[in-house]
Amino acid sequence: MGLTEIVESIQIKYASLSTDCINELIGQLQIRSFAKNEIFVKEGQFSKKAYFIITGSARAYYYKNDKDVTDWFAFESEFICPIVSFFSDKPSPHYIQALEDSTLVEISKEAIDKLAKTHCELESLMKAIVTETMLKQQKRISSILFYSAEDKYKQLLEEYPTILSRIPLTHIASHLGMTLETLSRVRKVQN
Amino acid sequence: MGLTEIVESIQIKYASLSTDCINELIGQLQIRSFAKNEIFVKEGQFSKKAYFIITGSARAYYYKNDKDVTDWFAFESEFICPIVSFFSDKPSPHYIQALEDSTLVEISKEAIDKLAKTHCELESLMKAIVTETMLKQQKRISSILFYSAEDKYKQLLEEYPTILSRIPLTHIASHLGMTLETLSRVRKVQN
DNA sequence: CACACGATTTGATATAGATCAAATGATTTG
DNA sequence: CAAATCATTTGATCTATATCAAATCGTGTG
């Protein structure tokens, strides 16, 4: 899959871009490869890069009272970025790590913003992505507040059916806001 | 405070708009007044209106297992809208209710989108508002996951120092994801 | 101004999930 | 290929908060 197809598919999903804009955008993309477990964004960095996953997977995580907490997973065709640093001018509380050998497309916020000045469609596309993220978080909030450990686990499996074979349970547990032990017990009941 | 000042202040906060755009925008605004406890968006509606609070306050809430759960508060100079319905094409799970006698500015998504076609700055402004909301939710997620009932209460008071005198404790409790009884006990310890 | 009803507090008990500890299972590497 | 290290499970106990029930406080209305 070339960069053109990737940009095409993103553009179809979120907001259509002119050929012109697509071409200029492609010029700003970087292909990056990371080995399994490689950390490519660190806590404290001011990183304004976003990543789109071509193959593999990644997670954003942070330390809360010395505990590693996974905040966000991303798989093929999904975005990941150090959300706080990318969108505000604060250092990132998150690390980002590849969870498998992965190939990503990198783009800087600077490049996007510059391009958006002449191509408003790109601004709409960004808005669409942020809106989608916001709605996901909206869902996550109610999931955390109202579902039992078991139900949260079921929901995650529905959203990411292949996750079990790709991601260690520790990360899944911390993302679901429960301990590893609780997740293990929930899984036993499940089947 | 007239509509012009309101739009000015929003534009200063999020992304500057041309005079042209401001004027056209003002033509699309509606002043609405609601009495205390009046419900102005109902569950199940497809409502694409957003509200900016001039005076008063409002909440977005929904029913979870027959329990009234407050998802969002808004006070002077903040926005509120039926987030799911506004940004996707689904019926709103939320009701929106005035919590005091309130004056709001209403605008339809249709009007915004139409204007944004000729004024890209408006698209940027929308993006900025959605981004801000997303970052707030990000914070809320970690607050729900990691803070004790007492800490969540303290945080809310810091964010909204006047909330106690304006909003009943039931709504505060459900927004913090705890029962009214727990909130009451937390408050006793506090002071 | 008193009654009534909603808001808040207080008390007793139950429970989901955390914590601590250890055993077992799986996978990487020298 | 075996030791070492990491991942997962299992068990026993603890705890924050929920739940259920009832008492008190406050305030809007007739």
Side-chain angles (χ1 to χ4, degrees), chain A residues 11 14-15 57 83 87 107 158:
Chain A
Q11 173 253 178
Y14 294 104
S57 53
I83 193 169
F87 289 107
I107 187 161
E158 270 170 39

Side-chain angles (χ1 to χ4, degrees), chain B residues 174-186:
Chain B
S174 73
H175 180 250
L176 294 175
M178 65 184 73
T179 60
L180 183 56
E181 294 93 325
T182 295
L183 178 59
S184 174
R185 288 184 246 267
V186 157

Side-chain angles (χ1 to χ4, degrees), chain A residues 71 120 123-124 137-138, chain B residues 64 71 120 123-124 137-138:
Chain A
D71 202 19
C120 185
E123 200 69 3
S124 308
Q137 286 178 329
Q138 177 71 22
Chain B
K64 181 74 200 174
D71 203 18
C120 186
E123 200 71 1
S124 309
Q137 286 177 330
Q138 178 71 21

Side-chain angles (χ1 to χ4, degrees), chain A residues 121-183:
Chain A
E121 332 113 66
L122 191 54
E123 200 69 3
S124 308
L125 187 144
M126 291 293 294
K127 190 185 80 180
I129 292 173
V130 177
T131 300
E132 186 190 42
T133 306
M134 183 203 65
L135 290 171
K136 267 194 195 174
Q137 286 178 329
Q138 177 71 22
K139 246 183 137 176
R140 184 156 176 232
I141 289 169
S142 77
S143 148
I144 295 170
L145 286 177
F146 299 113
Y147 293 99
S148 65
E150 190 177 332
D151 289 345
K152 284 189 274 185
Y153 176 65
K154 280 187 198 161
Q155 280 184 218
L156 186 75
L157 288 190
E158 270 170 39
E159 197 183 346
Y160 296 117
T162 66
I163 200 171
L164 287 179
S165 59
R166 300 177 67 179
I167 312 282
L169 292 178
T170 343
H171 299 154
I172 294 176
S174 73
H175 181 249
L176 294 176
M178 64 184 75
T179 61
L180 184 56
E181 293 94 324
T182 296
L183 178 60

Side-chain angles (χ1 to χ4, degrees), chain B:
Chain B
M1 184 155 72
L3 287 177
T4 313
E5 287 99 312
I6 290 165
V7 174
E8 286 288 348
S9 68
I10 293 172
Q11 115 12 107
I12 286 167
K13 180 167 179 200
Y14 294 104
S16 61
L17 302 177
S18 65
T19 320
D20 225 39
C21 181
I22 292 177
N23 290 136
E24 288 185 55
L25 198 53
I26 287 170
Q28 299 301 321
L29 304 179
Q30 288 258 343
I31 300 254
R32 309 280 315 257
S33 289
F34 298 109
K36 179 172 178 176
N37 294 326
E38 192 172 347
I39 293 168
F40 55 95
V41 176
K42 295 214 169 118
E43 185 191 0
Q45 273 186 226
F46 289 80
S47 166
K48 301 254 179 198
K49 316 256 179 175
Y51 301 87
F52 180 82
I53 301 191
I54 303 178
T55 62
S57 54
R59 67 177 184 124
Y61 67 102
Y62 57 97
Y63 284 93
K64 181 74 200 174
N65 311 326
D66 295 326
K67 272 188 196 154
D68 169 324
V69 178
T70 297
D71 203 18
W72 195 266
F73 290 118
F75 295 88
E76 286 83 0
S77 299
E78 294 181 328
F79 286 98
I80 195 164
C81 74
I83 193 168
V84 171
S85 177
F86 190 88
F87 290 107
S88 53
D89 290 311
K90 297 176 185 164
S92 176
H94 294 102
Y95 292 81
I96 302 187
Q97 178 186 40
L99 291 172
E100 301 167 303
D101 293 340
S102 303
T103 306
L104 320 185
V105 176
E106 178 186 291
I107 186 160
S108 74
K109 182 157 193 295
E110 201 192 340
I112 297 171
D113 288 345
K114 201 172 164 192
L115 263 178
K117 277 185 188 152
T118 47
H119 300 281
C120 186
E121 333 114 63
L122 190 54
E123 200 71 1
S124 309
L125 187 144
M126 292 293 292
K127 191 186 78 180
I129 292 173
V130 177
T131 301
E132 185 190 42
T133 306
M134 183 202 66
L135 290 171
K136 266 194 196 174
Q137 286 177 330
Q138 178 71 21
K139 245 183 138 178
R140 184 156 177 226
I141 288 169
S142 76
S143 147
I144 294 170
L145 285 177
F146 299 114
Y147 292 100
S148 65
E150 189 178 332
D151 288 346
K152 285 189 276 184
Y153 176 64
K154 280 186 200 164
Q155 282 185 215
L156 186 75
L157 287 191
E158 269 171 39
E159 198 185 346
Y160 295 117
T162 66
I163 199 170
L164 287 178
S165 61
R166 300 177 67 179
I167 312 283
L169 291 177
T170 345
H171 300 153
I172 294 176
S174 73
H175 180 250
L176 294 175
M178 65 184 73
T179 60
L180 183 56
E181 294 93 325
T182 295
L183 178 59
S184 174
R185 288 184 246 267
V186 157
R187 278 159 53 75
K188 190 157 58 162
V189 173
Q190 275 299 296
N191 186 6

